[in-house]
Amino acid sequence: HRRSSDATRSRCSRYIVRRGRTAGCLLEASKDEILCFSIANGADVLLRKCEWLSAYLKPSSPKDLNFWWRREAVTVTCSDLPYKRLLYEIQYKSVFDTEWQSKEGETCNVTMEGLDSEKCYFFRARVKTMESSYGSDTYPSDWSEVTHQQRGELRDSCPEKKLFPK
Amino acid sequence: YNFTDCDFEKIRKKYQEVIYHALDKYMNGRKSTGFNNHIYCEDPPDCLTKIDRITFYPNHGCTSLAKEIFAVRTNAALTLQCPGYSGMQMNNTQAKTKRKKREATTNKCREQVSRLMELWRRFSR
C-alpha cells in the first residue's frame, strides 16, 4: 500500500485475521488522504484500488467517559473524535439485566432515562460511522472499558446479584 | 459554474435527508463498491462540480440520469443553496417524457451512480 503523502510502498504490518483467514489490514492514520493498495494471493493480484482512507475508518475507542446523574437519568459524555458524521453508542445494564441496552447520539453526549440510581450499572461505549457518509467498508471502534456506577458514583465493580434460596 | 459560494451545510443536510435514500433506492441494495472505476473529490466545491457533471450530463454510456428522483432532488438542492446556479432546465417535452418513460437502469448507469455515491459520501464527511 502507498499513501498520497508518501511515495514509498509498504507491506501490511498488522493483518486482521478472522477464522484463520486474512480479513483486513490495520493501518494507523492521523489524517485523511488517498490510500492506493493491492490485494494479492502470492503473485496473483486480486484487487488494485485507490480510495480515501476514511472510507475504511475504524474510529478509536471513546475515552474518559463522564457521568452526569439526575433523578432517574444519566448523561454520558466524552470527547468527540475529529471526524464528523459518527454515531456514539452507549450500552448499559444493571446487575439484574442479562442484555445490554443501547442508546446512540451524533455527539458524545447521550442521555439514558428510566434508570434507578440505587442500582449498580455497567456502562461501555463505542463509535460507529454513518453509512451515508462513509459507506459500508468501515469498522466500529472497539468497546471502551466497562465502567461501573451506583448512586451517582464510580464503583470498581458491581456486586454479583445474590439469589435468595426459596 | 463555480460551487464555492454554496451553503454546503444545508446541501449536506438535504443529502442526508432525501438524496442519499433516493441514490440507495436506485442502486437497489447493490453495494456501490462493486464497481472498479473510482473517482475522488478533494473538497466540497470539487465534489459538487463532479456530482453536477455526472448527474446532469451524459457519461460513459449512460445517457441520462437527470430524470431520476435523486437527480431532481439534487437539482432542487443546488438551485436553492448555490447562488446563480441555473441547474437542469426541464422543458415541457422533457417533463412529459419524464412522466411517461424513465430509462431502464442499465449497468452503465449503475456504475455512474456508484461513483456519485462515493462523491456524495466524501462531500458529507
Side-chain angles (χ1 to χ4, degrees):
Chain A
H1 59 84
R2 177 178 54 81
R3 303 179 201 214
S4 45
S5 63
D6 177 1
T8 55
R9 294 182 71 87
S10 322
R11 183 185 274 274
C12 176
S13 54
R14 250 168 97 187
Y15 282 109
I16 299 169
V17 179
R18 214 169 271 148
R19 292 192 284 276
R21 290 179 178 272
T22 306
C25 175
L26 203 57
L27 298 172
E28 297 291 334
S30 54
K31 64 171 183 174
D32 197 7
E33 58 184 316
I34 300 276
L35 172 79
C36 290
F37 64 92
S38 59
I39 298 176
N41 184 2
D44 187 12
V45 177
L46 307 173
L47 172 74
R48 225 188 279 278
K49 192 174 177 183
C50 294
E51 180 57 279
W52 287 102
L53 268 170
S54 49
Y56 302 104
L57 180 64
K58 174 179 180 178
S60 48
S61 298
K63 295 180 184 58
D64 314 326
L65 298 182
N66 293 302
F67 296 82
W68 313 85
W69 285 88
R70 63 186 189 296
R71 282 187 306 287
E72 295 188 352
V74 64
T75 296
V76 178
T77 63
C78 61
S79 39
D80 283 351
L81 294 177
Y83 290 93
K84 295 184 203 151
R85 257 47 87 199
L86 298 177
L87 288 172
Y88 294 82
E89 179 182 13
I90 309 293
Q91 284 197 337
Y92 61 99
K93 64 178 180 180
S94 78
V95 287
F96 299 96
D97 301 319
T98 51
E99 303 288 326
W100 291 98
Q101 308 218 16
S102 270
K103 194 82 183 288
E104 285 180 357
E106 293 192 13
T107 62
C108 197
N109 183 315
V110 181
T111 298
M112 281 130 296
E113 289 168 346
L115 273 65
D116 172 358
S117 63
E118 287 299 317
K119 288 182 186 171
C120 189
Y121 283 90
F122 303 78
F123 290 91
R124 65 181 182 179
R126 71 175 175 178
V127 190
K128 303 189 287 191
T129 58
M130 283 186 188
E131 177 150 353
S132 56
S133 290
Y134 289 86
S136 54
D137 290 330
T138 61
Y139 288 81
S141 76
D142 296 329
W143 287 104
S144 69
E145 283 182 12
V146 173
T147 308
H148 309 88
Q149 288 269 330
Q150 188 172 23
R151 292 192 201 89
E153 288 168 5
L154 193 61
R155 286 280 185 271
D156 292 336
S157 65
C158 282
E160 285 293 319
K161 182 177 67 179
K162 291 195 180 66
L163 295 174
F164 299 99
K166 285 208 176 75
Chain B
Y1 176 84
N2 183 330
F3 288 90
T4 306
D5 298 330
C6 302
D7 187 326
F8 301 128
E9 189 50 29
K10 284 193 176 139
I11 295 172
R12 189 197 58 76
K13 277 205 167 74
K14 202 48 80 175
Y15 163 68
Q16 300 275 8
E17 286 160 8
V18 290
I19 298 172
Y20 166 65
H21 300 290
L23 286 164
D24 204 39
K25 198 169 178 199
Y26 181 94
M27 291 299 278
N28 221 337
R30 275 181 187 74
K31 262 189 87 159
S32 68
T33 49
F35 298 102
N36 236 331
N37 55 344
H38 297 287
I39 188 167
Y40 312 112
C41 53
E42 288 288 334
D43 53 31
D46 180 38
C47 292
L48 291 181
T49 302
K50 290 170 177 165
I51 286 167
D52 175 69
R53 185 168 13 102
I54 292 179
T55 305
F56 300 117
Y57 300 92
N59 277 280
H60 304 282
C62 172
T63 48
S64 176
L65 294 170
K67 295 172 210 135
E68 298 300 337
I69 293 166
F70 64 78
V72 174
R73 289 177 178 164
T74 301
N75 182 56
L78 298 182
T79 306
L80 254 179
Q81 306 303 345
C82 298
Y85 176 79
S86 54
M88 172 181 67
Q89 302 310 322
M90 188 76 85
N91 59 41
N92 281 339
T93 40
Q94 263 180 329
K96 263 192 229 101
T97 349
K98 179 187 152 196
R99 270 193 297 280
K100 255 189 309 169
K101 125 185 154 334
R102 178 170 281 119
E103 184 177 331
T105 307
T106 64
N107 211 41
K108 278 292 176 195
C109 286
R110 235 180 243 117
E111 203 166 326
Q112 290 307 305
V113 174
S114 87
R115 302 171 90 209
L116 267 181
M117 290 186 87
E118 278 186 50
L119 293 168
W120 274 113
R121 282 199 292 258
R122 177 67 194 165
F123 169 80
S124 74
R125 288 203 286 263

